[in-house]
Amino acid sequence: MAGGSTRDRGYAVYLIPGVLASLAVIVVPLVMTVYYSFTKWTGVGDPRWVGFDNYTRLFGDTLFWQSFGNIGLLVIAMAIVPTLIGLVLAAVLFDYVAKHFGDRWAGLFRSGYYLPQVLPVAVTGIVWSWILHPSYGSLNQILDTIGLGSLGRNWLGDEKYALYSVMAVMIWFQLGYPIVMFMSGLSRIDPSLYEAADLDGATWWQRFRRITVYMIRPEFYVVLVTTTIAALKIFGQVFVLTKGGPSNSTLVPSYFAYKNFFEKAQVGYGSAISTVLTVLIVILAFLFLRLQHRSEELR
Amino acid sequence: MTVRNPVRFFVLAGLLVLLLLMVGPLLAVAVNAFKSPAEYAANGPLSIPGSLYLDGIVDFWNRVDFGQKLWNSFVSALTVAVLGVVLSILNAYALGIGRVKGRVWFLVFFLVANLLPQEVLVYPLYYISKEVGLYDSLIAIIIIFTVIQSAFGTYLLTSVYTEFPREMLEAAAIDGAGKWRTLWRVVVPISAPTLAVLFTFFFIWTWNEFFLPLIFLVGNDNQTVPVALGVLQGDKMMDATTTSASALIGIVPAILFFLIFQRTLTRGIAAGAIK
């Protein structure tokens, strides 16, 4: 880099607006939150330094563990299930539908499955809170109409079912993203690979495992890491669908932090929750990057 | 081919059922938004409306002053998209083409900034915005999202600019163009397709944002579409048809953008340019 320094001098000035803006909106607030996490503060007056008190309290708080446990289930619903179903669907659309029915059909299905992804998170929450409403919701009314009324539930209001209902909504919401990503990865594959496999008498399943899955590993990692992080950050759907209830059965860390910040005026405690969540996300992201790097070296 | 026909049938049927599951909820919203509450009570959610009942949508629109919300969302999403792209260009020019000292550390910073949950920034931002008098103002939202989106833009655009053909920069330098001129006359026009992708993503992401606008935009006149719809959930006045009506007017703009931007979006997702 030293060799290019004479030619490249004078570019640093272009970084000034970006650096100043990032300082004001990201760096300073981040440092302030970490500082608040070591204080007791209601948001009025001066924060009082309490050391690690918030963290000790946090790790003894059943709600904290419950919110992170719920996130574990939401990672299954938002990252693992959509990735696996998306992988199969992308392969079917790319390798079967496009060949036997034409590209138009494959494209039509892809757009249809992707549709929920373009809607504002809050709006998808509204749609589903209506469908799942115990008295006027369409799901229970449909069950009644077809004579399965006994299966009707208070989907979002019963703590036995609320989290599973949210998980189902999240699968619906996320499915389109892996399909689109994987299909674009598949378009990279040389068709002669599939033809060679066909000549060797490979079954569809063998081609799926040996060619499809192998070739789109880069997309596989990107999808898994982005959806996992999205699951850890989930707020909007929970806010609109359940507000973390009933009796905290759908509580997630971001909503837990929000409640402490803006409803209970426990800024220090809310900051500790946010800090733990942030550390977790950053560690996970770097683990994924390492993993991806290693798998690329092995190739 | 005839041997495969049953397989073809089942594959197609399975995909169609799944399509119905994915699109069905939105169709249900569209159908029920045009029913009167009486008709909904009588015929349930699956009947086709007997007559086109528009009062539900019109009443809801007027009650929440939806035109104003649309305008707020549009102004903030558009401003963030433009400013976010400009900021990304400037950063990426210094990092990707200028290769300034410590560029790796800047890139790590922008990567981490991308990962941060908004919860870890929200309280100080809320506090600072109150101190400087920007609380409950679209300006605060515009500034914050410009910076957040440009962290992603910088990361993506730097990798594009690192590969930028050096000959073109040298040719511009020989023609006597300074760095500023080279940026706007050579680099920006050539990278226009990537910039279009960034613009589209920034616009749609900002339009859909919920958490920070929920906290910052408390006044009725300042709320964006998702906030206005989100905070009304659980309101006494929200019956089945009003909820459908409100969902429908939230869905329509999003689908409109999807159709307008479809090409750019598909290209962008293909480039891996997505959160």
Side-chain angles (χ1 to χ4, degrees), chain B residues 17-37:
Chain B
V17 168
L18 187 66
L19 187 66
L20 192 68
L21 281 175
M22 297 300 283
V23 183
L26 308 177
L27 291 178
V29 161
V31 166
N32 290 293
F34 293 107
K35 282 184 196 166
S36 68

Side-chain angles (χ1 to χ4, degrees), chain A residues 1 7-12 14-15 17-19 21-30 32-34 36 41-45 85 89 92-93 96-97 100-101 105 108-123 125-131 136-139 141-142 171-173 175-177 180-181 184 219 222 226 229 233-236 239-240 243 253-255 257-258 261-262 267 271 274-275 277-278 281-282 285-286 289, chain B residues 1 4 7-9 11-12 14-16 18-19 21-23 25-26 28-29 32 40 44-46 87 90-91 93-95 97-104 106 108-128 143-144 147-148 151 166 169-170 179-181 183 204 207-208 210-211 214-215 225-227 229-231 233 238-241 243-244 246-247 250-251 254-255 258 262 265-266 269-270 272 274-275:
Chain A
M1 219 175 284
R7 190 187 59 197
D8 293 340
R9 200 176 293 152
Y11 281 101
Y14 289 90
L15 263 184
V19 166
S22 304
L23 272 177
V25 175
I26 294 170
V27 178
V28 169
L30 180 66
M32 282 167 80
T33 296
V34 174
Y36 293 154
W41 190 35
T42 57
V44 187
I85 300 179
L89 281 173
V92 169
L93 288 180
Y96 192 87
V97 174
H100 292 90
F101 301 98
W105 279 93
L108 181 86
F109 281 118
R110 185 183 60 183
S111 303
Y113 298 153
Y114 190 71
L115 199 58
Q117 279 273 301
V118 304
L119 304 180
V121 162
V123 173
I126 294 166
V127 171
W128 282 98
S129 63
W130 162 61
I131 292 175
Y136 63 63
S138 50
L139 181 57
Q141 294 203 358
I142 291 169
I171 294 174
W172 172 84
F173 178 69
L175 188 59
Y177 169 59
V180 168
M181 285 289 282
S184 90
E219 278 80 9
V222 171
T226 44
I229 290 173
K233 291 180 178 177
I234 184 177
F235 176 85
F239 181 90
V240 177
K243 295 232 169 25
S254 63
Y255 195 76
Y258 167 86
F261 282 138
F262 298 106
V267 179
S271 299
S274 313
T275 307
L277 180 65
T278 305
I281 288 174
V282 173
F286 276 89
L289 280 177
Chain B
M1 266 316 178
R4 278 192 175 175
V7 178
R8 286 181 61 151
F9 173 78
V11 169
L12 195 64
L15 291 172
L16 282 172
L18 187 66
L19 187 66
L21 281 175
M22 297 300 283
V23 183
L26 308 177
V29 161
N32 290 293
Y40 187 86
L46 286 184
L87 202 57
L90 295 177
N91 287 342
Y93 192 46
L95 297 172
I97 290 177
R99 312 202 172 174
V100 297
K101 262 190 186 157
R103 60 187 284 270
V104 176
F106 281 110
V108 169
F109 167 78
F110 285 114
L111 177 67
V112 172
N114 239 321
L115 297 171
L116 294 180
Q118 291 172 359
E119 290 75 25
V120 83
L121 307 175
V122 65
Y123 203 88
L125 288 175
Y126 165 82
Y127 188 79
I128 296 169
I143 295 173
I144 293 167
V147 180
I148 290 179
R166 288 271 143 186
L169 300 173
E170 278 150 20
K179 290 192 175 62
W180 182 250
R181 232 179 119 81
L183 173 61
I204 291 181
W207 183 282
N208 290 350
F210 184 66
F211 181 65
L214 172 75
I215 286 149
V225 172
V227 177
L229 298 179
V231 294
Q233 272 309 292
M238 301 295 282
D239 55 21
T241 51
T243 308
S244 305
S246 75
I251 289 171
I255 291 188
F258 179 55
Q262 201 173 17
L265 272 174
T266 331
I269 297 164
I274 195 157
K275 266 182 191 169

Side-chain angles (χ1 to χ4, degrees), chain B residues 131-213:
Chain B
E131 294 285 297
V132 297
L134 284 179
Y135 180 63
D136 198 13
S137 142
L138 281 178
I139 296 173
I141 284 300
I142 288 170
I143 295 173
I144 293 167
F145 282 121
T146 296
V147 180
I148 290 179
Q149 314 289 34
S150 74
F152 173 81
T154 302
Y155 193 73
L156 182 89
L157 204 55
T158 301
S159 72
V160 173
Y161 282 1
T162 311
E163 312 277 311
F164 198 87
R166 288 271 143 186
E167 313 83 66
M168 308 207 69
L169 300 173
E170 278 150 20
I174 290 166
D175 288 349
K179 290 192 175 62
W180 182 250
R181 232 179 119 81
T182 308
L183 173 61
W184 298 107
R185 292 291 164 83
V186 179
V187 176
V188 167
I190 289 178
S191 55
T194 315
L195 300 179
V197 170
L198 282 184
F199 175 88
T200 309
F201 278 129
F202 293 175
F203 185 91
I204 291 181
W205 287 341
T206 310
W207 183 282
N208 290 350
E209 277 291 347
F210 184 66
F211 181 65
L212 288 177

